[in-house]
Amino acid sequence: MKLVLIAAALALPSGEPPFRDIAAVAGIGWKHFNGESPDRFLVESTTGGVAFLDFDNDGLQDLFFVNGGETPRGRSKQPVRHALYRNTGKQRFEDVTARSGLGAAFFFGMGAAAADFDNDGDTDLYITGYPSSALYRNDGGKFTEVTRQAGVANQGEWGSSAAWFDYDNDGLLDLFIANYAEFSFDSALRCEFEGKPTYCAQTAYRGRPSRLYRNEGGGRFADVSVASGVAAHPGRALGVVAIDYDGDGKQDLFVARDASPNLLLRNRGGTFEDVAMEAETAYNADGIARAGMGVDAGDIDGDGSPDFVVTNFDGEFHALYLNPGRLPFRETTASSGLAALTRPYVGWGVRMLDYDNDGDLDLLIVNGHLQEMIARSNASVSYREPPLLLANDGRGRFTKADGGPVFRTGYLGRGMASGDLDNDGWIDAAFVSLNGPPVVLRNQGAGDRWLGVRLRGTASNRDAIGARLTLQVGARRLTRWIAGGGSFLASHDRRALFGLGSGASGELEIRWPSGLVQRVAGLAAGRYHDIEEPRRP
């Protein structure tokens, strides 16, 4: 079935792979720097974020890359800077960092979260890092740093991934930051392998509570980490995705954590309760907390409920949790094929995306080890590792697909984001590799067997984060969400994209974050549709 659908949906020039790295030819010359030094500070190994965002509202997705920074003995020959690339169309990008207000890296950078936090129509940007983070307000294409005024510095913390979401359904986006561990450049831990410095195990670092900031309007936020219950669960958090997993209209959080139990924070109407133990997503079957890095959510098996995928360390397997509509979740890491396919990899960024537009969500995963000398102790594992493109058969079982030369090349992959760079309806992606140039993957599929939707909230937050969209395609119902966060250190194209395969599109149902249900018929395939939330009388 899968091969038939691919043949119908994915039209490629003869001999062309699904993806091609266009970073160099597109004019993207930025390079990542992580401050690697003989001290082997663990912060060096986890940096490198990326965001898709249309910062200038011209209808094209632009790219923002987050740099790391210097360490006491890891100095850069050039100023360490982030980079904003404006999409000028025709697979070309212009470096507009200097005039954007985003270039300066005044802390050690990690990831990015892009959203319109003030509902003014411009996409703003939050950059996480150590020992603080920063909020940049977009003022018509130029960014102004407003961290202190907003009260969202996350001061003294090692912030990793972040997610914008409206946890109290007041129409204003709130901010969750996944904090990692206690850390200081002044008190470095020392570990060696065969007499050479190496990164210490993550368990040598005490985990920290994550943080939740409530948007109070007027550009101000309140720290509600304690009052909401978020701070009650310290641990080494790395990835986060916000989605309503139980369909009660409130946005929940799945937090992937590194040798700390994963969290599934159910939103109880302003406070959060961790139900990961009940959901059986906290530990593996042996009761061991895996080294969770990235996480994403979507409907893998086509039943209308959001499932979760988590990337882990080599030998632990990247995990898949199917949502039966009640707790517990059903872990299908082995039966889905993920265990066999991901055994030797250390996974970071992960996205559920329909790369071949057949209607099923596939998996794109970037990998890369921490320890340069790992092959000396484990011959089955490499330091630089290839990304994985895993094709879904529609029932949640995966096979390895050859995405092209990039998928046969080793990288130190970290943050990875996805979006449609050329508005052709075929999902693209970009990821950061430690101390190297980024990879920008253009999807080379062609054809109009797709339908795209861009939502604009009125009573809901303007980005419609938290919306659920269900499209009738022939006899199938395809469900997509506008989620907050997702992957690792990344932010994504907010548009919903439906691959139609060989089916005909029917009615689209939108459940807005405000609770309003809207139905739209007659949407044409092969284009994006702008839909604004109806205003209540």
Side-chain angles (χ1 to χ4, degrees):
M1 176 66 79
K2 181 71 177 182
L3 293 177
V4 173
L5 290 175
I6 290 177
L10 182 58
L12 287 172
S14 178
E16 289 287 341
F19 289 99
R20 179 170 65 95
D21 180 11
I22 64 168
V25 297
I28 296 176
W30 174 87
K31 185 177 179 181
H32 182 262
F33 180 79
N34 77 336
E36 183 176 308
S37 71
D39 298 306
R40 288 298 190 268
F41 293 109
L42 190 60
V43 73
E44 301 166 5
S45 67
T46 59
T47 172
V50 57
F52 280 65
L53 73 164
D54 181 6
F55 83 95
D56 53 359
N57 284 330
D58 67 351
L60 295 172
Q61 291 289 304
D62 310 300
L63 288 170
F64 178 72
F65 297 100
V66 181
N67 223 326
E70 295 183 321
T71 61
R73 292 199 290 169
R75 299 298 181 179
S76 175
K77 296 179 181 179
Q78 303 174 7
V80 178
R81 69 179 187 99
H82 310 307
L84 178 64
Y85 284 92
R86 179 177 176 267
N87 188 343
T88 61
K90 298 182 180 180
Q91 301 175 44
R92 297 290 301 176
F93 290 82
E94 175 191 7
D95 188 341
V96 295
T97 311
R99 64 176 186 264
S100 72
L102 290 172
F106 55 90
F107 52 81
F108 197 99
M110 284 286 148
D116 183 4
F117 81 84
D118 51 4
N119 289 333
D120 69 348
D122 296 320
T123 299
D124 312 297
L125 192 64
Y126 191 76
I127 304 175
T128 60
Y130 168 80
S132 64
S133 300
L135 176 62
Y136 291 85
R137 186 186 65 221
N138 186 344
D139 297 316
K142 178 70 182 294
F143 290 85
T144 304
E145 198 255 305
V146 294
T147 312
R148 177 175 293 184
Q149 304 94 298
V152 291
N154 199 32
Q155 193 63 44
E157 300 289 355
W158 174 353
S160 54
S161 299
W164 291 102
F165 75 125
D166 185 3
Y167 84 94
D168 52 2
N169 285 339
D170 65 352
L172 298 172
L173 288 175
D174 311 299
L175 179 63
F176 177 90
I177 305 166
N179 284 328
Y180 187 65
E182 293 181 3
F183 175 80
S184 172
F185 286 128
D186 297 326
S187 55
L189 301 178
R190 308 291 180 182
C191 296
E192 293 184 347
F193 177 78
E194 295 183 352
K196 296 183 179 180
T198 189
Y199 295 112
C200 295
Q202 72 278 68
T203 50
Y205 296 82
R206 180 177 298 178
R208 290 289 299 160
S210 292
R211 188 162 277 170
L212 177 63
Y213 290 106
R214 181 180 182 272
N215 190 339
E216 297 188 315
R220 291 290 304 172
F221 291 75
D223 187 343
V224 295
S225 308
V226 173
S228 66
V230 164
H233 309 285
R236 292 171 290 270
L238 285 174
V240 59
V241 64
I243 198 167
D244 179 11
Y245 81 87
D246 55 2
D248 67 354
K250 296 183 286 290
Q251 298 300 294
D252 312 298
L253 296 163
F254 192 113
V255 185
R257 304 204 300 180
D258 188 8
S260 301
N262 295 327
L263 301 177
L264 181 56
L265 297 176
R266 184 183 179 191
N267 188 340
R268 307 290 289 184
T271 60
F272 290 86
E273 172 193 10
D274 180 26
V275 296
M277 287 289 288
E278 185 181 355
E280 298 183 3
T281 58
Y283 301 94
N284 70 7
D286 297 320
I288 297 171
R290 287 178 274 208
M293 271 76 90
V295 60
D296 202 24
D299 186 8
I300 285 292
D301 54 359
D303 66 354
S305 295
D307 311 302
F308 295 103
V309 61
V310 181
T311 54
N312 296 304
F313 214 75
D314 68 87
E316 295 181 339
F317 324 122
H318 303 348
L320 181 63
Y321 303 101
L322 297 185
N323 182 353
R326 62 188 182 281
L327 300 183
F329 281 66
R330 183 164 59 94
E331 182 174 348
T332 61
T333 302
S335 60
S336 68
L338 277 189
L341 291 165
T342 66
R343 178 189 298 272
Y345 299 111
V346 176
W348 300 88
V350 56
R351 286 294 279 167
M352 296 182 184
L353 47 79
D354 184 4
Y355 86 94
D356 50 8
N357 277 348
D358 67 353
D360 303 322
L361 291 179
D362 311 296
L363 292 176
L364 177 60
I365 305 170
V366 297
N367 307 289
H369 215 280
L370 278 75
Q371 308 294 1
E372 188 172 4
M373 297 175 284
I374 185 61
R376 296 187 183 182
S377 59
N378 186 347
S380 66
V381 177
S382 300
Y383 179 48
R384 298 181 181 274
E385 299 176 323
L388 290 171
L389 181 63
L390 305 181
N392 183 0
D393 69 354
R395 293 166 291 179
R397 291 192 289 268
F398 295 91
T399 54
K400 186 176 179 180
D402 182 8
V406 166
F407 296 83
R408 299 187 293 273
T409 304
Y411 300 90
L412 301 177
R414 293 300 186 261
M416 184 264 288
S418 65
D420 185 359
L421 291 171
D422 46 9
N423 291 336
D424 67 350
W426 296 81
I427 197 73
D428 310 302
F431 69 87
V432 173
S433 185
L434 291 184
N435 290 327
V439 174
V440 179
L441 292 170
R442 180 182 181 267
N443 191 327
Q444 301 192 95
D448 63 359
R449 304 307 304 150
W450 59 274
L451 188 153
V453 177
R454 184 176 68 172
L455 300 181
R456 286 291 177 261
T458 54
S460 304
N461 65 85
R462 185 173 175 81
D463 285 341
I465 294 173
R468 186 185 74 194
L469 303 91
T470 304
L471 180 68
Q472 191 73 38
V473 179
R476 306 171 68 188
R477 287 174 62 84
L478 304 183
T479 305
R480 302 290 183 262
W481 289 262
I482 311 299
S487 191
F488 175 69
L489 305 182
S491 197
H492 315 282
D493 190 339
R494 297 291 182 202
R495 296 173 294 182
L497 190 57
F498 296 88
L500 303 179
S502 58
S505 64
E507 184 179 76
L508 173 69
E509 178 186 279
I510 305 166
R511 184 173 294 273
W512 293 87
S514 66
L516 179 71
V517 177
Q518 179 183 8
R519 292 178 175 85
V520 183
L523 296 176
R527 55 165 292 190
Y528 283 98
H529 300 267
D530 290 329
I531 301 177
E532 184 173 279
E533 180 180 13
R535 298 181 186 273
R536 298 177 189 263

